[in-house]
Amino acid sequence: MDIALLLNIFPTQIDLFFNIRNNQTVYIKSIKIKIMKKFIFTIAILGFAIQGFSQNVDKGKAVYTKTCIACHQATGAGIPGAFPPLAKSDYLNADVNRAIKQVIKGSNAPITVNGKKYTTAMPAQALSDQQIADVLTYVYASWGNKKNTITPAMVKAQRK
């Protein structure tokens, strides 16, 4: 049901009955109805936002499974001495834009993650802006990272 339609179902004054002593009917004044409408609207918006985040994480997990898991492993722990961890990664959590660029362009430069140096090159990934946003949102939502949400617009900005 459309949220706007749902909110318009409530009239300006409502006969809500609560069985309070002697079955009295309690009328809720229009001011309280307005507050109720705002509250319901806010809850609905939050629900849609959480659902959207969840969908991005689910899509991101699928991309991660196809593209990243071989090197960074299912747990995000990486392979010691070869591929850096994404789990609780100080390098990853320090700079979202750097993480986006690394997925887009790859990297041959040595990096230090959680105090350990890694020199294995990371190839550029042939993914769409949406796929990169989804996979990085998944990575940031997993394994003790900062819970950042990456958008396709953020990815597009780093392609320049």
Side-chain angles (χ1 to χ4, degrees), residues 58-128:
D58 291 344
K59 289 177 186 176
K61 184 175 183 179
V63 174
Y64 185 87
T65 301
K66 290 178 185 174
T67 309
C68 314
I69 203 166
C71 298
H72 296 289
Q73 304 296 292
T75 61
I79 297 175
F83 302 106
L86 301 177
K88 297 180 184 174
S89 169
D90 60 351
Y91 181 86
L92 178 75
N93 287 302
D95 188 346
V96 170
N97 290 327
R98 178 178 62 193
I100 294 169
K101 285 179 191 174
Q102 192 135 13
V103 174
I104 294 169
K105 299 177 182 179
S107 175
N108 290 319
I111 63 170
T112 302
V113 180
N114 298 339
K116 295 181 182 173
K117 189 173 182 178
Y118 293 86
T119 58
T120 305
M122 177 175 164
Q125 302 301 311
L127 299 170
S128 70

Side-chain angles (χ1 to χ4, degrees), residues 57 86-88 92 137-147:
V57 169
L86 301 177
K88 297 180 184 174
L92 178 75
T137 296
Y138 168 71
V139 168
Y140 278 111
S142 304
W143 315 306
N145 290 314
K146 283 190 174 179
K147 311 283 187 233

